[in-house]
Amino acid sequence: ASVTIGSNAGWGADGSKTLTARVTDVAGNIGTAGGSLAVTLDTTAPSAPTNAVVVAAAANGISAAEKTTGVAVVINLTGTNAVAGDTVEVLLGGAAFTTPVTYVLQAADIASNSASVTIGTNAGWGADGSKTLAARVTDVAGNVGTAGGSLAVTLDTTAPTVSTIAITSATG
């Protein structure tokens, strides 16, 4: 038999739970509870990153070459309550890139309170111009955290052009 326990079943606070089952027959006789399954109830989303994401290329704008090789983003995890196995996502203008930029956090990331993610060339930056990057954490239970750590960057992948060159002769 398969049973679905609804959200209004009185789960109580987040934490460890032990589920058991018992059967009641048509005469109303209640069987002994048997079997047990330990589960963890997690309904709390991770907190938003509080420190701005870091993009080394952002100081002078992100060039065509940088976009092609991938733009490295460092996300400070301080205050997010992230744990190994959670997923961090880099956002563009508060939404996912066309091709989502995600990374599953490892124990080393949690220990260092930071994660490095590379935005690939085909992530879907859109047209050149001002962009806002941010990050959010989604825990292993699927609770999506709030975006934070916003940083304004400029995407400039167009090379400058020269319309005319004037050469004057020098006499001397």
Side-chain angles (χ1 to χ4, degrees):
S2 176
V3 177
T4 300
I5 304 170
S7 60
N8 60 350
W11 283 92
D14 283 3
S16 296
K17 311 290 180 189
T18 301
L19 303 178
T20 60
R22 65 180 180 198
V23 177
T24 303
D25 66 19
V26 293
N29 300 308
I30 300 171
T32 305
S36 66
L37 174 67
V39 297
T40 300
L41 178 63
D42 178 2
T43 61
T44 305
S47 299
T50 55
N51 298 314
V53 298
V54 176
V55 179
N60 297 314
I62 298 169
S63 69
E66 291 164 330
K67 179 183 170 200
T68 299
T69 58
V71 177
V73 178
V74 178
I75 301 156
N76 187 314
L77 300 172
T78 302
T80 62
N81 301 316
V83 298
D86 289 354
T87 300
V88 67
E89 180 177 18
V90 179
L91 305 173
L92 176 64
F97 276 84
T98 305
T99 300
V101 179
T102 61
Y103 171 74
V104 177
L105 297 171
Q106 306 299 311
D109 303 317
I110 302 306
S112 68
N113 267 330
S114 70
S116 296
V117 182
T118 299
I119 303 171
T121 189
N122 295 320
W125 283 94
D128 282 2
S130 180
K131 310 289 181 182
T132 301
L133 298 178
R136 70 177 168 207
V137 177
T138 300
D139 67 20
V140 294
N143 299 308
V144 179
T146 305
S150 295
L151 174 70
V153 298
T154 300
L155 179 65
D156 182 2
T157 61
T158 306
T161 58
V162 177
S163 57
T164 59
I165 298 176
I167 301 175
T168 57
S169 63
T171 58

